[in-house]
Amino acid sequence: MIRIENVSFARGGTEILRDVSLELPSGGVTAIVGPNGAGKSTLLSLIGRLQPLQAGRITVGGHAVDSTPGAELAKVLAILRQDNGVASRLRVRELVAFGRFPHSRGRLSNEDRAHVAASLAAFGLDAFAERFVETLSGGQRQRALIAMAFCQDTPCLLLDEPLNNLDMFHARDLMRRLRAAADERGRTVVAVLHDINHAAAYADRIVAMKDGRVVADGPPAELMTPETLERVFGHRIRVTTIDGRPVALHHL
Amino acid sequence: MTAIAARLTRPGFAAGGALALLFVVSLVVGVGDVSLSRLTHDPEAWRLVFASRLPRTLAAVLAGAGLAVAGLVMQALARNRFVEPTTAGTDQSAAAGVLLMTLLWPSSSLPVKTAGAAAAALAGTSVFLAVAHRLPPNQPFLVPLFGLIYGAVLGSAAMFVAWQADLIQFFEIWTRGEFSGVLRGRYELLWLSAAMVALAWWAADRLTILSLGRDVSIGLGLDYQAMMRLGLVIVSVVSALTVVVVGMIPFVGLVAPNLVTRALGDDLRRAAPWTAFVGAALTLGCDILGRIVRYPYEIPVGTILGAVGAALFLWLLFGRRA
Amino acid sequence: MIGRAPLALAALAALALLATAAFLALNLRGDIGFALELRGARLLALVCVGVSIATSTIVFQTVTGNRILTPSVMGLDALYGFVQIGLVFALGGLGFATLDPRMKFAGETALMTAMALALFLPMLRARLDMTLMLLSGVVLGVLLRSLSSLLARVIDPNDFAIASGASFASFNAVRGDLLAVASLMTIAACVVVWRARHVLDVLALGQDASTALGVDWRRTVAGLLALVAALVAVSTALVGPMVFVGLLVVALAERVVNTRRHAVLLPAAALTAIVVLVGGQATLQHGLGGASALAIVVEFAGGLLFLALLFAESRRR
């Protein structure tokens, strides 16, 4: 589904990605983890063609991201960026409806409206639907933006730190929805997560990055070992098992 | 949907009625008696209406609507609520452009000069936007501040050239908006700005997405650069047209969109027609005001709007915080 | 750094003298005595303007804690223009226009000082965000200028010269009748500011720090602002509005002496202003023909500098 071949990226003389290759098959949830500055967000924005490729090649569903028309790619992948300072005076419903733009080009059909309504309901936004985005709290705004990405209804969904600003309830809720999107509808979800335990609990696969390279890659059970985590994050982390799932005690 | 439609139609009728009223008032008010009673029997009065009053009124409506929508588009492009063509160097560039055309090809026709002005406006606004996008987004007042001073610097450079070339009289005409010189046959270019308004309406959804930023635009499959260019063309053409035909009219593009988006939000599809309405009414109203304040003399609409618009701008800056 | 300051000041003084000599002596023809008298008056006006602009800008920057601000960017010279025309409008019927110019000047200055205090003290005390303060100042300037030209047209609809003439400074048509009183005011203001130079150093630390160090912030700042308003009135009355010269001159001076200590910066900026204005006028008048252009050139350079500073400042935070 997503194929990344020998991608390198530098900005202002600093190497951010060094020869990254990855293959993510269709369906399933992949979590990208790693310390600050590992190149996770850059990799995600390269997949989402928000930045031009410098070296290497990326295809999503067979479409090369640097040569496929943007409008066509927007039906294949949706991307949510981390720093979405939407200060716009748009109503939540209007914002979410723009997620349908790749399909409707602005003329909403009844099907589009149904998608919008479903997304609003799914992320508990019904009560805010007619409020302006700029009047929402950080967490509510984040949910509105996630709803917009969901509303785009693409086979592939890229999320950069989607749990930012979310409270525990909504963080868990979002992770379950991502899981369900993969299980029930065969979506390919790639999310940069900073909490390794969210990754371990909900992802099929964890890709760990450090200094612009992929340093570990595998299912949670395989990756969640003190040795691997120390290699990635630089300090010894105890790992225990609760209900058959590995849990890292990284805060201790 | 019908509930929204019902909610929208009542103010819609009110606004339409107000504009129509202003339109009629504008036909009647001014030097030269065109009272309704005279119109019933005097063909001379009708001649005055068709040769001068009607063109003047139409020019005010077209310029006002065009500038207001240009301001709305500009705000989407710059992602900042406080910019408009006169505060972003666009109008000053247009004036410099028409000045250059007059210097280099004095015999060129009005449309050709306008094209030159539009090209200059395009260049000047591109520079503004390039800088504006590099300014830190957490300081929203920096962008209009930069734009105001940038416009002032461009304006004084152009004025210097005009001074040296002894074209200062012409330069005053371009920089001070005035409808008193508008006659039939001398304003028709302004209809192009109605076309620009239509273009903005056609692209309204994409322009709204543009205002959400580059990442969101690309994520939704928009050709970001192309949309940016389209928006720039709309803004530049409207600016150039008004500068060449009637002269700079400040603050319409700032005040009208802000008043509208405050109530309706930033969705251009919804806000654009209202913005055009408010801009037309504001400009026409100020023109009528300029005709009656010191009757029988006229005060240029640019001067009136400079005062009215700046006061409204300050209110917009501080009204929200109070 | 301390060792460098006297040297830099001496160099600036030498340059200023050179500029003065050039201004007086270049291309002197015809009745030398008469020409010198004419040029002397003009020189005095330029020096007056330069010193008052430099001083008012430094004081204003220190008081507001902001190196991009100048009184004119904040609309003070527009305020003066507005007061001028507003008084004519309000009292026109009472023969105000025919009053002795010095009386008029005094009245205008007093009224403008009061208005400036009423406008800016609340702004300073609200501790507005820097960019918002700048923006509102610029817009306030636009508002006042528009109101002035509106009033001008209402008073005399045929006189187009009022609207256009007042929008640019001119060093050729210096108001001779006001020269004596303007010089006296400048000197008096400079004496006051000079004696307050150490207080100014403290004020530069900000409101809290200066209060902690025992300076009565409100009263001191109010007094200094009144002084700034008077100085702006002097320069605007003599040559007309100039927005960016102060910024240019102070930034140049600070670059040369490399300190913000007022004991050094005040004379340095005053000397720089003389070099720029007198030297520039001498060059343009005799070297480059277009004598009326100095204001525009200086304003243009100052505007560019303002943009650069604004950009740098916004990057720094």
Side-chain angles (χ1 to χ4, degrees):
Chain A
M1 177 69 203
I2 301 177
R3 185 193 290 268
I4 300 163
E5 294 167 34
N6 310 102
V7 167
S8 297
F9 193 83
R11 191 185 296 129
T14 328
E15 279 198 294
I16 297 170
L17 293 175
R18 305 161 200 244
D19 195 26
V20 173
S21 294
L22 263 181
E23 191 156 338
L24 305 174
S26 262
V29 177
T30 303
I32 304 180
V33 300
N36 295 341
K40 302 164 295 193
S41 295
T42 305
L43 181 62
L44 207 70
S45 65
L46 285 176
I47 304 174
R49 47 86 173 86
L50 297 183
Q51 298 188 59
L53 272 177
Q54 291 172 351
R57 188 177 142 79
I58 299 179
T59 61
V60 178
H63 304 276
V65 293
D66 49 350
S67 57
T68 311
E72 208 169 301
L73 263 183
K75 295 181 195 170
V76 180
L77 67 86
I79 177 163
L80 170 77
R81 290 271 287 155
Q82 204 182 140
D83 46 344
N84 263 314
V86 177
S88 196
R89 257 183 174 270
L90 282 178
R91 285 175 185 76
V92 172
R93 184 187 302 282
E94 289 166 348
L95 179 76
V96 173
F98 276 119
R100 297 306 298 166
F101 182 82
H103 310 276
S104 68
R105 311 305 294 172
R107 261 175 268 286
L108 293 183
S109 67
N110 284 332
E111 189 200 335
D112 292 323
R113 280 184 232 287
H115 270 288
V116 174
S119 284
L120 287 171
F123 292 95
L125 292 165
D126 280 328
F128 313 115
E130 303 305 324
R131 292 243 316 254
F132 286 124
V133 176
E134 62 178 9
T135 67
L136 299 182
S137 76
Q140 292 163 344
R141 192 177 306 176
Q142 176 76 353
R143 270 149 61 201
L145 289 163
I146 296 167
M148 175 178 163
F150 258 76
C151 203
Q152 209 170 328
D153 196 35
T154 49
C156 176
L157 186 57
L158 312 174
L159 305 152
D160 193 353
E161 304 262 15
L163 304 183
N164 275 359
N165 290 321
L166 294 188
D167 56 32
M168 276 189 283
F169 174 83
H170 286 105
R172 171 173 172 272
D173 192 58
L174 173 62
M175 290 314 295
R176 291 163 76 106
R177 280 187 194 286
L178 293 179
R179 190 67 255 165
D183 293 343
E184 291 159 22
R185 313 183 58 190
R187 303 286 192 241
T188 310
V189 179
V190 183
V192 172
L193 295 174
H194 70 258
D195 182 354
I196 186 96
N197 288 328
H198 273 117
Y202 293 99
D204 305 299
R205 176 174 170 188
I206 298 180
V207 173
M209 295 182 65
K210 188 179 185 179
D211 296 333
R213 288 198 179 83
V214 174
V215 291
D217 179 7
E222 206 175 279
L223 195 119
M224 294 283 282
T225 63
E227 295 73 33
T228 312
L229 292 184
E230 182 173 7
R231 195 148 53 83
V232 177
F233 291 100
H235 69 292
R236 192 98 187 141
I237 296 171
R238 273 174 62 199
V239 178
T240 171
T241 307
I242 299 176
D243 292 347
R245 284 184 186 139
V247 174
L249 304 176
H250 53 74
H251 52 294
L252 296 179
Chain B
M1 252 8 245
T2 47
I4 293 176
R7 241 187 320 149
L8 281 182
T9 39
R10 205 178 321 150
F13 279 126
L19 188 58
L21 187 69
L22 280 175
F23 201 94
V24 172
V25 169
S26 166
L27 292 182
V28 180
V29 168
V31 185
D33 180 21
V34 196
S35 63
L36 291 176
S37 60
R38 216 185 131 200
L39 282 175
T40 52
H41 62 269
D42 192 348
E44 194 58 33
W46 280 107
R47 277 250 299 280
L48 182 58
V49 166
F50 282 115
S52 155
R53 290 290 163 73
L54 186 63
R56 174 177 193 160
T57 307
L58 284 173
V61 167
L62 289 170
L67 284 172
V69 171
L72 190 67
V73 172
M74 190 81 201
Q75 285 152 28
L77 298 187
R79 303 186 66 192
N80 188 298
R81 219 171 274 299
F82 298 113
V83 297
E84 64 128 8
T86 48
T87 66
T90 309
D91 277 20
Q92 289 80 2
S93 314
V98 64
L99 175 69
L100 281 185
M101 294 298 283
T102 310
L103 275 177
L104 301 176
W105 295 281
S107 58
S108 58
S109 65
L110 201 59
V112 174
K113 282 191 180 125
T114 311
L122 204 64
T125 317
S126 305
V127 171
F128 167 76
L129 279 180
V131 177
H133 285 162
R134 279 184 181 75
L135 291 173
N138 56 350
Q139 294 182 47
F141 303 116
L142 202 55
V143 176
L145 183 61
F146 168 77
L148 274 166
I149 306 297
Y150 171 66
V153 169
L154 281 180
S156 72
M159 191 184 239
F160 179 64
V161 175
W163 193 315
Q164 294 291 326
D166 218 4
L167 284 172
I168 204 81
Q169 251 86 15
F170 284 99
F171 198 70
E172 296 260 306
I173 290 174
W174 297 318
T175 46
R176 191 187 307 117
E178 190 158 17
F179 290 113
S180 59
V182 171
L183 295 170
R184 187 173 53 205
R186 291 191 36 196
Y187 83 103
E188 281 75 3
L189 263 182
L190 272 180
W191 282 101
L192 255 181
S193 89
M196 290 297 125
V197 171
L199 192 60
W201 164 252
W202 172 72
D205 299 306
R206 276 165 285 174
L207 288 168
T208 311
I209 293 177
L210 207 63
S211 74
L212 297 175
R214 180 178 170 277
D215 286 355
V216 173
S217 308
I218 296 179
L220 291 174
L222 214 64
D223 188 341
Y224 181 76
Q225 296 301 339
M227 272 324 288
M228 213 63 174
R229 281 195 292 272
L230 177 71
L232 269 173
V233 166
I234 293 175
V235 171
S236 305
V237 170
V238 170
S239 292
L241 285 168
T242 36
V243 165
V244 171
V245 178
V246 293
M248 252 180 236
I249 303 178
F251 292 120
V252 179
L254 188 97
V255 172
N258 269 289
L259 289 177
V260 170
T261 54
R262 226 165 222 240
L264 295 180
D266 284 338
D267 186 356
L268 254 84
R269 178 70 69 197
R270 192 194 298 217
W274 287 95
T275 306
F277 248 115
V278 172
L282 183 66
T283 311
L284 189 54
C286 283
D287 183 40
I288 295 172
L289 198 65
R291 279 182 252 173
I292 52 184
V293 165
R294 188 70 166 95
Y295 189 82
Y297 297 101
E298 293 207 4
I299 294 176
V301 71
T303 310
I304 300 258
L305 262 168
V308 174
L312 282 171
F313 191 177
L314 284 176
W315 175 73
L316 286 170
L317 278 180
F318 290 98
R320 186 191 295 245
R321 334 188 116 225
Chain C
M1 215 159 71
I2 306 292
R4 176 177 162 182
L7 207 67
L9 277 181
L12 278 175
L15 272 177
L17 272 179
L18 194 69
T20 312
F23 182 82
L24 286 177
L26 270 181
N27 288 348
L28 210 52
R29 272 191 301 263
D31 184 351
I32 292 186
F34 175 72
L36 271 183
E37 201 181 313
L38 197 70
R39 285 189 183 189
R42 239 188 235 169
L43 175 69
L44 186 58
L46 279 176
V47 169
C48 237
V49 167
V51 171
S52 58
I53 286 183
T55 310
S56 63
T57 303
I58 292 177
V59 173
F60 200 69
Q61 288 183 346
T62 298
V63 164
T64 53
N66 187 323
R67 289 193 207 174
I68 300 185
L69 282 182
T70 74
S72 309
V73 168
M74 292 302 287
L76 265 178
D77 60 350
L79 181 64
Y80 181 74
F82 178 66
V83 165
Q84 263 186 321
I85 195 97
L87 279 177
V88 175
F89 182 69
L91 307 172
L94 305 174
F96 179 77
T98 53
L99 222 59
D100 180 62
R102 275 159 295 193
M103 287 286 290
K104 254 171 53 181
F105 178 60
E108 286 159 1
T109 308
L111 185 58
M112 178 216 176
T113 306
M115 282 180 76
L117 282 180
L119 273 174
F120 290 109
L121 262 191
M123 238 185 191
L124 276 180
R125 282 164 61 196
R127 302 188 186 190
L128 289 181
D129 171 54
M130 172 195 98
T131 48
L132 178 58
M133 187 147 123
L134 278 168
L135 181 61
S136 35
V138 172
V139 176
L140 189 69
V142 175
L143 175 64
L144 290 171
R145 271 185 277 272
S146 303
L147 280 176
S148 303
S149 72
L150 194 63
L151 283 183
R153 281 183 173 261
V154 171
I155 293 168
D156 186 357
N158 284 325
D159 198 351
F160 290 93
I162 298 178
S164 50
S167 62
F168 252 108
S170 163
F171 296 119
N172 285 343
V174 167
R175 295 283 306 274
D177 47 352
L178 294 179
L179 200 49
V181 59
S183 323
L184 282 178
M185 275 182 66
T186 311
I187 292 170
C190 283
V191 169
V192 176
V193 171
W194 178 251
R195 296 184 57 159
R197 62 192 184 279
H198 301 299
V199 179
L200 281 165
D201 286 340
V202 174
L203 282 177
L205 302 174
Q207 182 176 352
D208 296 339
S210 39
T211 309
L213 290 173
V215 174
D216 183 346
W217 189 84
R218 260 199 69 189
R219 274 191 52 196
T220 319
V221 165
L224 286 171
L225 269 184
L227 211 66
V228 167
L231 283 172
V232 170
V234 167
S235 70
T236 315
L238 282 180
V239 295
M242 301 190 72
V243 180
F244 295 116
V245 180
L247 184 81
L248 187 71
V249 163
V250 174
L252 275 177
E254 207 180 332
R255 190 48 63 85
V256 172
V257 294
N258 196 20
T259 174
R260 191 75 202 176
R261 272 197 318 132
H262 288 81
V264 178
L265 189 59
L266 282 167
L271 288 171
T272 312
I274 293 171
V275 172
V276 168
L277 291 185
V278 178
Q281 187 74 359
T283 322
L284 284 181
Q285 207 160 347
H286 305 297
L288 292 169
S292 53
L294 176 66
I296 305 184
V297 171
V298 174
E299 285 290 275
F300 185 67
L304 287 182
L305 176 74
F306 178 84
L307 292 181
L309 285 178
L310 193 66
F311 202 67
E313 189 83 357
S314 72
R315 279 292 151 117
R316 209 161 51 82
R317 289 135 120 331

